[in-house]
mmCIF file with all atom_site columns, all heavy atoms in Angstrom:
data_model
loop_
_atom_site.group_PDB
_atom_site.id
_atom_site.type_symbol
_atom_site.label_atom_id
_atom_site.label_alt_id
_atom_site.label_comp_id
_atom_site.label_asym_id
_atom_site.label_entity_id
_atom_site.label_seq_id
_atom_site.pdbx_PDB_ins_code
_atom_site.Cartn_x
_atom_site.Cartn_y
_atom_site.Cartn_z
_atom_site.occupancy
_atom_site.B_iso_or_equiv
_atom_site.pdbx_formal_charge
_atom_site.auth_seq_id
_atom_site.auth_comp_id
_atom_site.auth_asym_id
_atom_site.auth_atom_id
_atom_site.pdbx_PDB_model_num
ATOM 1   N N   . VAL A 1 49  ? -102.938 -73.354 -66.498 1.00 0.00 ? 327 VAL A N   1
ATOM 2   C CA  . VAL A 1 49  ? -102.696 -73.051 -67.903 1.00 0.00 ? 327 VAL A CA  1
ATOM 3   C C   . VAL A 1 49  ? -102.506 -71.549 -68.058 1.00 0.00 ? 327 VAL A C   1
ATOM 4   O O   . VAL A 1 49  ? -103.313 -70.761 -67.572 1.00 0.00 ? 327 VAL A O   1
ATOM 5   C CB  . VAL A 1 49  ? -103.867 -73.543 -68.774 1.00 0.00 ? 327 VAL A CB  1
ATOM 6   C CG1 . VAL A 1 49  ? -105.193 -72.982 -68.319 1.00 0.00 ? 327 VAL A CG1 1
ATOM 7   C CG2 . VAL A 1 49  ? -103.649 -73.196 -70.244 1.00 0.00 ? 327 VAL A CG2 1
ATOM 8   N N   . PRO A 1 50  ? -101.433 -71.106 -68.727 1.00 0.00 ? 328 PRO A N   1
ATOM 9   C CA  . PRO A 1 50  ? -101.201 -69.667 -68.876 1.00 0.00 ? 328 PRO A CA  1
ATOM 10  C C   . PRO A 1 50  ? -102.103 -69.070 -69.944 1.00 0.00 ? 328 PRO A C   1
ATOM 11  O O   . PRO A 1 50  ? -102.484 -69.744 -70.902 1.00 0.00 ? 328 PRO A O   1
ATOM 12  C CB  . PRO A 1 50  ? -99.720  -69.599 -69.294 1.00 0.00 ? 328 PRO A CB  1
ATOM 13  C CG  . PRO A 1 50  ? -99.484  -70.901 -69.986 1.00 0.00 ? 328 PRO A CG  1
ATOM 14  C CD  . PRO A 1 50  ? -100.351 -71.919 -69.281 1.00 0.00 ? 328 PRO A CD  1
ATOM 15  N N   . GLN A 1 51  ? -102.455 -67.835 -69.783 1.00 0.00 ? 329 GLN A N   1
ATOM 16  C CA  . GLN A 1 51  ? -103.207 -67.116 -70.805 1.00 0.00 ? 329 GLN A CA  1
ATOM 17  C C   . GLN A 1 51  ? -102.221 -66.474 -71.794 1.00 0.00 ? 329 GLN A C   1
ATOM 18  O O   . GLN A 1 51  ? -101.053 -66.235 -71.452 1.00 0.00 ? 329 GLN A O   1
ATOM 19  C CB  . GLN A 1 51  ? -104.088 -66.041 -70.158 1.00 0.00 ? 329 GLN A CB  1
ATOM 20  C CG  . GLN A 1 51  ? -105.139 -66.634 -69.225 1.00 0.00 ? 329 GLN A CG  1
ATOM 21  C CD  . GLN A 1 51  ? -106.039 -67.600 -69.935 1.00 0.00 ? 329 GLN A CD  1
ATOM 22  O OE1 . GLN A 1 51  ? -106.681 -67.252 -70.919 1.00 0.00 ? 329 GLN A OE1 1
ATOM 23  N NE2 . GLN A 1 51  ? -106.081 -68.839 -69.464 1.00 0.00 ? 329 GLN A NE2 1
ATOM 24  N N   . PRO A 1 52  ? -102.673 -66.176 -73.023 1.00 0.00 ? 330 PRO A N   1
ATOM 25  C CA  . PRO A 1 52  ? -101.778 -65.561 -74.001 1.00 0.00 ? 330 PRO A CA  1
ATOM 26  C C   . PRO A 1 52  ? -101.157 -64.288 -73.445 1.00 0.00 ? 330 PRO A C   1
ATOM 27  O O   . PRO A 1 52  ? -101.843 -63.451 -72.853 1.00 0.00 ? 330 PRO A O   1
ATOM 28  C CB  . PRO A 1 52  ? -102.684 -65.275 -75.193 1.00 0.00 ? 330 PRO A CB  1
ATOM 29  C CG  . PRO A 1 52  ? -103.798 -66.261 -75.050 1.00 0.00 ? 330 PRO A CG  1
ATOM 30  C CD  . PRO A 1 52  ? -103.993 -66.446 -73.566 1.00 0.00 ? 330 PRO A CD  1
ATOM 31  N N   . SER A 1 53  ? -99.864  -64.145 -73.601 1.00 0.00 ? 331 SER A N   1
ATOM 32  C CA  . SER A 1 53  ? -99.147  -62.982 -73.105 1.00 0.00 ? 331 SER A CA  1
ATOM 33  C C   . SER A 1 53  ? -98.980  -61.954 -74.211 1.00 0.00 ? 331 SER A C   1
ATOM 34  O O   . SER A 1 53  ? -98.898  -62.293 -75.387 1.00 0.00 ? 331 SER A O   1
ATOM 35  C CB  . SER A 1 53  ? -97.776  -63.426 -72.587 1.00 0.00 ? 331 SER A CB  1
ATOM 36  O OG  . SER A 1 53  ? -96.978  -62.310 -72.299 1.00 0.00 ? 331 SER A OG  1
ATOM 37  N N   . LYS A 1 292 ? -108.077 -73.500 -85.503 1.00 0.00 ? 570 LYS A N   1
ATOM 38  C CA  . LYS A 1 292 ? -108.314 -72.184 -86.077 1.00 0.00 ? 570 LYS A CA  1
ATOM 39  C C   . LYS A 1 292 ? -108.481 -71.163 -84.960 1.00 0.00 ? 570 LYS A C   1
ATOM 40  O O   . LYS A 1 292 ? -109.069 -71.468 -83.911 1.00 0.00 ? 570 LYS A O   1
ATOM 41  C CB  . LYS A 1 292 ? -109.592 -72.229 -86.932 1.00 0.00 ? 570 LYS A CB  1
ATOM 42  C CG  . LYS A 1 292 ? -109.917 -70.952 -87.677 1.00 0.00 ? 570 LYS A CG  1
ATOM 43  C CD  . LYS A 1 292 ? -111.194 -71.141 -88.504 1.00 0.00 ? 570 LYS A CD  1
ATOM 44  C CE  . LYS A 1 292 ? -111.537 -69.907 -89.314 1.00 0.00 ? 570 LYS A CE  1
ATOM 45  N NZ  . LYS A 1 292 ? -112.784 -70.103 -90.114 1.00 0.00 ? 570 LYS A NZ  1
ATOM 46  N N   . TYR A 1 293 ? -107.942 -69.960 -85.189 1.00 0.00 ? 571 TYR A N   1
ATOM 47  C CA  . TYR A 1 293 ? -108.086 -68.884 -84.218 1.00 0.00 ? 571 TYR A CA  1
ATOM 48  C C   . TYR A 1 293 ? -108.140 -67.549 -84.941 1.00 0.00 ? 571 TYR A C   1
ATOM 49  O O   . TYR A 1 293 ? -107.257 -67.217 -85.731 1.00 0.00 ? 571 TYR A O   1
ATOM 50  C CB  . TYR A 1 293 ? -106.916 -68.894 -83.232 1.00 0.00 ? 571 TYR A CB  1
ATOM 51  C CG  . TYR A 1 293 ? -106.945 -67.751 -82.236 1.00 0.00 ? 571 TYR A CG  1
ATOM 52  C CD1 . TYR A 1 293 ? -108.006 -67.655 -81.312 1.00 0.00 ? 571 TYR A CD1 1
ATOM 53  C CD2 . TYR A 1 293 ? -105.953 -66.792 -82.203 1.00 0.00 ? 571 TYR A CD2 1
ATOM 54  C CE1 . TYR A 1 293 ? -108.040 -66.612 -80.395 1.00 0.00 ? 571 TYR A CE1 1
ATOM 55  C CE2 . TYR A 1 293 ? -105.982 -65.750 -81.278 1.00 0.00 ? 571 TYR A CE2 1
ATOM 56  C CZ  . TYR A 1 293 ? -107.033 -65.661 -80.381 1.00 0.00 ? 571 TYR A CZ  1
ATOM 57  O OH  . TYR A 1 293 ? -107.081 -64.638 -79.476 1.00 0.00 ? 571 TYR A OH  1
ATOM 58  N N   . GLN A 1 294 ? -109.222 -66.806 -84.694 1.00 0.00 ? 572 GLN A N   1
ATOM 59  C CA  . GLN A 1 294 ? -109.434 -65.475 -85.268 1.00 0.00 ? 572 GLN A CA  1
ATOM 60  C C   . GLN A 1 294 ? -109.209 -65.462 -86.782 1.00 0.00 ? 572 GLN A C   1
ATOM 61  O O   . GLN A 1 294 ? -108.507 -64.595 -87.313 1.00 0.00 ? 572 GLN A O   1
ATOM 62  C CB  . GLN A 1 294 ? -108.527 -64.458 -84.570 1.00 0.00 ? 572 GLN A CB  1
ATOM 63  C CG  . GLN A 1 294 ? -108.911 -64.219 -83.119 1.00 0.00 ? 572 GLN A CG  1
ATOM 64  C CD  . GLN A 1 294 ? -108.121 -63.098 -82.467 1.00 0.00 ? 572 GLN A CD  1
ATOM 65  O OE1 . GLN A 1 294 ? -107.086 -62.664 -82.968 1.00 0.00 ? 572 GLN A OE1 1
ATOM 66  N NE2 . GLN A 1 294 ? -108.609 -62.615 -81.336 1.00 0.00 ? 572 GLN A NE2 1
ATOM 67  N N   . LEU A 1 351 ? -107.259 -79.276 -79.006 1.00 0.00 ? 629 LEU A N   1
ATOM 68  C CA  . LEU A 1 351 ? -108.633 -79.116 -78.507 1.00 0.00 ? 629 LEU A CA  1
ATOM 69  C C   . LEU A 1 351 ? -108.854 -77.703 -78.003 1.00 0.00 ? 629 LEU A C   1
ATOM 70  O O   . LEU A 1 351 ? -108.206 -77.257 -77.064 1.00 0.00 ? 629 LEU A O   1
ATOM 71  C CB  . LEU A 1 351 ? -108.861 -80.127 -77.376 1.00 0.00 ? 629 LEU A CB  1
ATOM 72  C CG  . LEU A 1 351 ? -110.188 -80.044 -76.636 1.00 0.00 ? 629 LEU A CG  1
ATOM 73  C CD1 . LEU A 1 351 ? -111.347 -80.364 -77.564 1.00 0.00 ? 629 LEU A CD1 1
ATOM 74  C CD2 . LEU A 1 351 ? -110.181 -81.003 -75.443 1.00 0.00 ? 629 LEU A CD2 1
ATOM 75  N N   . PRO A 1 352 ? -109.806 -76.959 -78.610 1.00 0.00 ? 630 PRO A N   1
ATOM 76  C CA  . PRO A 1 352 ? -110.117 -75.603 -78.111 1.00 0.00 ? 630 PRO A CA  1
ATOM 77  C C   . PRO A 1 352 ? -110.771 -75.672 -76.734 1.00 0.00 ? 630 PRO A C   1
ATOM 78  O O   . PRO A 1 352 ? -111.577 -76.567 -76.460 1.00 0.00 ? 630 PRO A O   1
ATOM 79  C CB  . PRO A 1 352 ? -111.104 -75.062 -79.151 1.00 0.00 ? 630 PRO A CB  1
ATOM 80  C CG  . PRO A 1 352 ? -110.999 -75.971 -80.343 1.00 0.00 ? 630 PRO A CG  1
ATOM 81  C CD  . PRO A 1 352 ? -110.597 -77.303 -79.812 1.00 0.00 ? 630 PRO A CD  1
ATOM 82  N N   . LEU A 1 353 ? -110.415 -74.733 -75.866 1.00 0.00 ? 631 LEU A N   1
ATOM 83  C CA  . LEU A 1 353 ? -111.064 -74.621 -74.558 1.00 0.00 ? 631 LEU A CA  1
ATOM 84  C C   . LEU A 1 353 ? -112.210 -73.636 -74.667 1.00 0.00 ? 631 LEU A C   1
ATOM 85  O O   . LEU A 1 353 ? -112.004 -72.440 -74.881 1.00 0.00 ? 631 LEU A O   1
ATOM 86  C CB  . LEU A 1 353 ? -110.051 -74.168 -73.506 1.00 0.00 ? 631 LEU A CB  1
ATOM 87  C CG  . LEU A 1 353 ? -109.018 -75.200 -73.070 1.00 0.00 ? 631 LEU A CG  1
ATOM 88  C CD1 . LEU A 1 353 ? -108.024 -74.581 -72.095 1.00 0.00 ? 631 LEU A CD1 1
ATOM 89  C CD2 . LEU A 1 353 ? -109.676 -76.409 -72.449 1.00 0.00 ? 631 LEU A CD2 1
ATOM 90  N N   . LEU A 1 354 ? -113.429 -74.130 -74.530 1.00 0.00 ? 632 LEU A N   1
ATOM 91  C CA  . LEU A 1 354 ? -114.602 -73.285 -74.647 1.00 0.00 ? 632 LEU A CA  1
ATOM 92  C C   . LEU A 1 354 ? -114.580 -72.191 -73.593 1.00 0.00 ? 632 LEU A C   1
ATOM 93  O O   . LEU A 1 354 ? -114.320 -72.451 -72.409 1.00 0.00 ? 632 LEU A O   1
ATOM 94  C CB  . LEU A 1 354 ? -115.882 -74.119 -74.501 1.00 0.00 ? 632 LEU A CB  1
ATOM 95  C CG  . LEU A 1 354 ? -116.098 -75.234 -75.534 1.00 0.00 ? 632 LEU A CG  1
ATOM 96  C CD1 . LEU A 1 354 ? -117.343 -76.020 -75.221 1.00 0.00 ? 632 LEU A CD1 1
ATOM 97  C CD2 . LEU A 1 354 ? -116.150 -74.660 -76.934 1.00 0.00 ? 632 LEU A CD2 1
ATOM 98  N N   . GLY A 1 355 ? -114.826 -70.977 -74.016 1.00 0.00 ? 633 GLY A N   1
ATOM 99  C CA  . GLY A 1 355 ? -114.852 -69.851 -73.096 1.00 0.00 ? 633 GLY A CA  1
ATOM 100 C C   . GLY A 1 355 ? -113.513 -69.202 -72.833 1.00 0.00 ? 633 GLY A C   1
ATOM 101 O O   . GLY A 1 355 ? -113.452 -68.183 -72.138 1.00 0.00 ? 633 GLY A O   1
ATOM 102 N N   . LEU A 1 356 ? -112.443 -69.755 -73.394 1.00 0.00 ? 634 LEU A N   1
ATOM 103 C CA  . LEU A 1 356 ? -111.107 -69.174 -73.232 1.00 0.00 ? 634 LEU A CA  1
ATOM 104 C C   . LEU A 1 356 ? -110.484 -68.984 -74.615 1.00 0.00 ? 634 LEU A C   1
ATOM 105 O O   . LEU A 1 356 ? -109.644 -69.781 -75.046 1.00 0.00 ? 634 LEU A O   1
ATOM 106 C CB  . LEU A 1 356 ? -110.214 -70.085 -72.374 1.00 0.00 ? 634 LEU A CB  1
ATOM 107 C CG  . LEU A 1 356 ? -110.607 -70.255 -70.894 1.00 0.00 ? 634 LEU A CG  1
ATOM 108 C CD1 . LEU A 1 356 ? -109.678 -71.243 -70.228 1.00 0.00 ? 634 LEU A CD1 1
ATOM 109 C CD2 . LEU A 1 356 ? -110.578 -68.921 -70.174 1.00 0.00 ? 634 LEU A CD2 1
ATOM 110 N N   . PRO A 1 357 ? -110.866 -67.951 -75.346 1.00 0.00 ? 635 PRO A N   1
ATOM 111 C CA  . PRO A 1 357 ? -110.337 -67.734 -76.701 1.00 0.00 ? 635 PRO A CA  1
ATOM 112 C C   . PRO A 1 357 ? -108.809 -67.661 -76.707 1.00 0.00 ? 635 PRO A C   1
ATOM 113 O O   . PRO A 1 357 ? -108.211 -67.002 -75.856 1.00 0.00 ? 635 PRO A O   1
ATOM 114 C CB  . PRO A 1 357 ? -110.960 -66.396 -77.102 1.00 0.00 ? 635 PRO A CB  1
ATOM 115 C CG  . PRO A 1 357 ? -112.168 -66.240 -76.239 1.00 0.00 ? 635 PRO A CG  1
ATOM 116 C CD  . PRO A 1 357 ? -111.818 -66.892 -74.940 1.00 0.00 ? 635 PRO A CD  1
ATOM 117 N N   . GLY A 1 358 ? -108.216 -68.365 -77.651 1.00 0.00 ? 636 GLY A N   1
ATOM 118 C CA  . GLY A 1 358 ? -106.760 -68.377 -77.761 1.00 0.00 ? 636 GLY A CA  1
ATOM 119 C C   . GLY A 1 358 ? -106.091 -69.407 -76.890 1.00 0.00 ? 636 GLY A C   1
ATOM 120 O O   . GLY A 1 358 ? -104.862 -69.490 -76.875 1.00 0.00 ? 636 GLY A O   1
ATOM 121 N N   . SER A 1 359 ? -106.883 -70.202 -76.135 1.00 0.00 ? 637 SER A N   1
ATOM 122 C CA  . SER A 1 359 ? -106.320 -71.240 -75.269 1.00 0.00 ? 637 SER A CA  1
ATOM 123 C C   . SER A 1 359 ? -106.805 -72.619 -75.704 1.00 0.00 ? 637 SER A C   1
ATOM 124 O O   . SER A 1 359 ? -108.003 -72.789 -75.988 1.00 0.00 ? 637 SER A O   1
ATOM 125 C CB  . SER A 1 359 ? -106.725 -70.998 -73.800 1.00 0.00 ? 637 SER A CB  1
ATOM 126 O OG  . SER A 1 359 ? -106.161 -69.800 -73.326 1.00 0.00 ? 637 SER A OG  1
ATOM 127 N N   . TYR A 1 360 ? -105.886 -73.561 -75.729 1.00 0.00 ? 638 TYR A N   1
ATOM 128 C CA  . TYR A 1 360 ? -106.171 -74.903 -76.252 1.00 0.00 ? 638 TYR A CA  1
ATOM 129 C C   . TYR A 1 360 ? -105.424 -75.926 -75.410 1.00 0.00 ? 638 TYR A C   1
ATOM 130 O O   . TYR A 1 360 ? -104.528 -75.587 -74.625 1.00 0.00 ? 638 TYR A O   1
ATOM 131 C CB  . TYR A 1 360 ? -105.711 -75.032 -77.707 1.00 0.00 ? 638 TYR A CB  1
ATOM 132 C CG  . TYR A 1 360 ? -106.330 -74.030 -78.657 1.00 0.00 ? 638 TYR A CG  1
ATOM 133 C CD1 . TYR A 1 360 ? -105.845 -72.718 -78.697 1.00 0.00 ? 638 TYR A CD1 1
ATOM 134 C CD2 . TYR A 1 360 ? -107.368 -74.383 -79.497 1.00 0.00 ? 638 TYR A CD2 1
ATOM 135 C CE1 . TYR A 1 360 ? -106.420 -71.792 -79.566 1.00 0.00 ? 638 TYR A CE1 1
ATOM 136 C CE2 . TYR A 1 360 ? -107.931 -73.468 -80.376 1.00 0.00 ? 638 TYR A CE2 1
ATOM 137 C CZ  . TYR A 1 360 ? -107.437 -72.169 -80.406 1.00 0.00 ? 638 TYR A CZ  1
ATOM 138 O OH  . TYR A 1 360 ? -108.008 -71.261 -81.255 1.00 0.00 ? 638 TYR A OH  1
ATOM 139 N N   . LEU A 1 382 ? -101.748 -74.996 -74.705 1.00 0.00 ? 660 LEU A N   1
ATOM 140 C CA  . LEU A 1 382 ? -101.301 -74.303 -75.927 1.00 0.00 ? 660 LEU A CA  1
ATOM 141 C C   . LEU A 1 382 ? -102.015 -72.966 -75.962 1.00 0.00 ? 660 LEU A C   1
ATOM 142 O O   . LEU A 1 382 ? -103.231 -72.887 -75.752 1.00 0.00 ? 660 LEU A O   1
ATOM 143 C CB  . LEU A 1 382 ? -101.637 -75.124 -77.166 1.00 0.00 ? 660 LEU A CB  1
ATOM 144 C CG  . LEU A 1 382 ? -101.234 -74.560 -78.528 1.00 0.00 ? 660 LEU A CG  1
ATOM 145 C CD1 . LEU A 1 382 ? -101.003 -75.707 -79.532 1.00 0.00 ? 660 LEU A CD1 1
ATOM 146 C CD2 . LEU A 1 382 ? -102.257 -73.595 -79.117 1.00 0.00 ? 660 LEU A CD2 1
ATOM 147 N N   . ALA A 1 383 ? -101.254 -71.911 -76.222 1.00 0.00 ? 661 ALA A N   1
ATOM 148 C CA  . ALA A 1 383 ? -101.823 -70.565 -76.257 1.00 0.00 ? 661 ALA A CA  1
ATOM 149 C C   . ALA A 1 383 ? -101.389 -69.871 -77.541 1.00 0.00 ? 661 ALA A C   1
ATOM 150 O O   . ALA A 1 383 ? -100.309 -70.125 -78.079 1.00 0.00 ? 661 ALA A O   1
ATOM 151 C CB  . ALA A 1 383 ? -101.389 -69.767 -75.037 1.00 0.00 ? 661 ALA A CB  1
ATOM 152 N N   . ILE A 1 384 ? -102.219 -68.979 -78.020 1.00 0.00 ? 662 ILE A N   1
ATOM 153 C CA  . ILE A 1 384 ? -101.918 -68.150 -79.188 1.00 0.00 ? 662 ILE A CA  1
ATOM 154 C C   . ILE A 1 384 ? -101.973 -66.702 -78.755 1.00 0.00 ? 662 ILE A C   1
ATOM 155 O O   . ILE A 1 384 ? -102.944 -66.260 -78.144 1.00 0.00 ? 662 ILE A O   1
ATOM 156 C CB  . ILE A 1 384 ? -102.912 -68.383 -80.325 1.00 0.00 ? 662 ILE A CB  1
ATOM 157 C CG1 . ILE A 1 384 ? -102.925 -69.857 -80.748 1.00 0.00 ? 662 ILE A CG1 1
ATOM 158 C CG2 . ILE A 1 384 ? -102.577 -67.498 -81.534 1.00 0.00 ? 662 ILE A CG2 1
ATOM 159 C CD1 . ILE A 1 384 ? -103.911 -70.162 -81.841 1.00 0.00 ? 662 ILE A CD1 1
ATOM 160 N N   . GLY A 1 385 ? -100.930 -65.978 -79.054 1.00 0.00 ? 663 GLY A N   1
ATOM 161 C CA  . GLY A 1 385 ? -100.896 -64.570 -78.726 1.00 0.00 ? 663 GLY A CA  1
ATOM 162 C C   . GLY A 1 385 ? -99.491  -64.097 -78.452 1.00 0.00 ? 663 GLY A C   1
ATOM 163 O O   . GLY A 1 385 ? -98.576  -64.877 -78.211 1.00 0.00 ? 663 GLY A O   1
ATOM 164 N N   . TRP A 1 417 ? -112.594 -72.048 -65.337 1.00 0.00 ? 695 TRP A N   1
ATOM 165 C CA  . TRP A 1 417 ? -113.102 -72.666 -66.569 1.00 0.00 ? 695 TRP A CA  1
ATOM 166 C C   . TRP A 1 417 ? -114.292 -73.579 -66.239 1.00 0.00 ? 695 TRP A C   1
ATOM 167 O O   . TRP A 1 417 ? -114.238 -74.356 -65.316 1.00 0.00 ? 695 TRP A O   1
ATOM 168 C CB  . TRP A 1 417 ? -112.020 -73.497 -67.241 1.00 0.00 ? 695 TRP A CB  1
ATOM 169 C CG  . TRP A 1 417 ? -112.511 -74.158 -68.513 1.00 0.00 ? 695 TRP A CG  1
ATOM 170 C CD1 . TRP A 1 417 ? -112.666 -73.578 -69.730 1.00 0.00 ? 695 TRP A CD1 1
ATOM 171 C CD2 . TRP A 1 417 ? -112.901 -75.530 -68.653 1.00 0.00 ? 695 TRP A CD2 1
ATOM 172 N NE1 . TRP A 1 417 ? -113.139 -74.497 -70.649 1.00 0.00 ? 695 TRP A NE1 1
ATOM 173 C CE2 . TRP A 1 417 ? -113.299 -75.693 -70.001 1.00 0.00 ? 695 TRP A CE2 1
ATOM 174 C CE3 . TRP A 1 417 ? -112.981 -76.619 -67.776 1.00 0.00 ? 695 TRP A CE3 1
ATOM 175 C CZ2 . TRP A 1 417 ? -113.745 -76.926 -70.506 1.00 0.00 ? 695 TRP A CZ2 1
ATOM 176 C CZ3 . TRP A 1 417 ? -113.430 -77.834 -68.275 1.00 0.00 ? 695 TRP A CZ3 1
ATOM 177 C CH2 . TRP A 1 417 ? -113.790 -77.978 -69.607 1.00 0.00 ? 695 TRP A CH2 1
#
Side-chain angles (χ1 to χ4, degrees):
V327 56
Q329 298 301 303
S331 170
K570 185 179 182 180
Y571 177 64
Q572 293 187 344
L629 175 64
L631 287 176
L632 299 178
L634 294 176
S637 295
Y638 303 78
L660 181 152
I662 302 178
W695 179 79

